Amino acid sequence: METTQISDDAVAVMYGTVDIHGNPADRKKTGNWKACLFILGSELFESLANCGMSTNLVNYFVDRLHEGNATASTNINNWSGTCFILPLLGAFLADAYWGKFRVIAIFSMLYLLGMVVFTLSASVNGLKPSCSADGCHPTTPQIGVAFISLYLVALGFGAYEPCFSSFGADQFDETDDKERNKKSSFFNWLYFTSNVGALLGSSLLVWIQNNVGWGWGFGIPTIAMAIAVVLFFCGFRLYRFQKPGGSPLTRIAQVLVATFTKIKIKVPHEKSLLYETADAESSIKGSRKLEYTHELRCFDKAAVPIDSDNIRGTPNPWRLCTVTQVEEFKAVVRLLPIWATGIVFSAIYSQMSTMFVLQGNTLDQHIGPNFKIPSATLLTFDILSVMFWVPVYDLIIIPAFSRLTGHERGFSLLQRMGIGLLISIFSMVTAGILEVVRLDMVKKHNYYDLKTIPISIFWQIPQYFLVGCAEVFICIGQLEFFYDQAPDAMRSLCSALSLTAMALGNYLSSLLVTIVTDVTTRDGKLGWIPDNLNRGHLDYFFWLLTVLSVANFLAYLWIAKWYTYKKVTASQA
C-alpha cells in the first residue's frame, strides 16, 4: 500500500481521528507509544487475570464440580468457544454505534463482575461445593452460579477483546511511514505483554490454586482484572478515537440486495462507468475510498447506475452502492477463506488447556523428592516460547529477512501465517509420539491402573514450545492481517473474525471429542479418551488432529496464492 510521509509539524491525524473532546487529534499530544503504554499495561494484567482463571479450569471442573475428563474437556471447549464467538457482538457495536472506547469501558466492567461472582462461587460457604474424603458434591444451584458467572466472563471478554487490540492499533497513523512501522511492532509487543501476564497466571496462580485454595487462586486474577480496568481508564486523555461508521452489516446487506436486484445487468468493462461519489472523502464515515479490483466482479452490479436507482434525485442505497462500498464488501469476502484456515490451528491451540493437561496428569510431576509441579503449569513453556520468539522475530528475523527479500517486515503477513501453520503440524506430531511412548510403557510394565507413569512431565515441553512458536507466526500475523486488510470502518468486526476462528476451533475440538467418544465407546469399549487414559488411545486423537492440520495447511497454500490485498485510493493512501 502506498503511503504519504507527513511532516512532524502536522497537527491533525488523518481520516477523522479525534481526541477525547471530539476535536481533531493532535499528533504530538495523542496516540503513539505514549498512549499505548497504558494499553500494554492494561493488557498485562488482563492476560494475567484471564490465564489465571482459565488455565487450570479443567482441573477445577474435575475436582470441584465432579465431572469426568471428557465432560470437563467438552465444557471447557464450549466455554472457550463462546468467549471467542462473542467478539462479533462487541465489534459490531464498536464499528456501528458506540466506538471502541465505549465498548471496552462497558464490557470490561461485565468481565470484572463475572470474575467476582465466579470467585465467590469457589470460596464462599453455600456457594462453593462441599467436599469430603470421598470427593466434592456440588448442588445444581452451585453449578448454575459457577456457569452463569463464567458465561458472564465470556460475554465481557468476548466483546472487549477485538476492540482492545484494534483500539491500540488506532493509536498509530498508518498513512505515515514511521507510525505505520510502529503499528506493526505494536502487535508483536501487545502479544508479548499478554504472554508475560499469562506466564504469571499459568505458573504462580496455578500453584496457588492447587496448593493454597481455589478462593485465593481465583481471587488474585479478579484483583488483576480490576487493575487492568483502572490502567486503561488512566490513559483516556492520550488516546485517539475513530468515529463509528454506521452499521457494517447494513452496508453488506445493501450490496447483496443491490446485486440481486440487478442480477441480469451486465457489468461495464470501464470502471469509470461505476458509481462513486465525486467528493475526495468516502461516503462512509471514518473510512477512506478503496480502489476498484477486478475480482468478484459479480458484486460490481451493485455499483452499476440505472434510471430506477434514484428516489427524488437521490441514489437509493439499497439499489445503488458506491465502488468503495462494494470493495468494502469484497475485502470482507476475501478475508473469509484465510479466516477459515485458522480454525484447525485454534483446535490445536485448545489442546493446551484440555488434552495436554490431562496427558500431563498421567506423567511424573515431581521436581526432586518433595516438590510437585501441576500439569497445567506446563503452559508456561508455551508462553516462554512466545516471549522468546517475539523479540527474536521483531529484532533479528525481520531485519535479516528484510534485507534478503526487500519486504519491509521480512515476510508478507500471508507468508508469516503459513510458516506458523507448518510449525503447528509438528506440535501435534510431538504430542502423539510422547503418547505412543507413554502407552508403550503402560503396556510393557502393566501400568494400566497406575495413576502416574514414571515418565517426566517435562517431556511435554517440546509440544508446548512448538505451539508457542506457531502462535508468534499465526496469531500475531492474524491480528495485524485482519486489521490491515479490513476496511477502515470495519476494523473491529474484522479483528473479531480472527477471534471467532478461536471460537470455532474450540467448538471443533469439542465436536471431535464428542464424536470420538461416541464412536469409540460403542459395544462396551472404553474408547480413545476414557477417565483412565492408560486404557485409552489419546495418541489416536493427536494423529487425527495432525491429519486435519496437514490438509488445512495445503488448503491455506492454495488460498494464499490467489489472495488480493486491499488498496486505498492514491489520493488518500
Side-chain angles (χ1 to χ4, degrees), residues 394-405:
D394 202 54
L395 303 176
I396 298 175
I397 294 178
I398 286 178
F401 276 84
S402 62
R403 289 192 293 269
L404 291 174
T405 64

Side-chain angles (χ1 to χ4, degrees), residues 71 85 121 159 211 239 257 267 280 407 436 452 474-475 488 511 534 570:
T71 302
I85 203 73
S121 76
N211 295 277
Y239 295 146
V257 170
V267 178
H407 194 282
V436 168
T452 58
I474 298 174
C475 296
D488 294 335
L511 177 64
N534 295 338

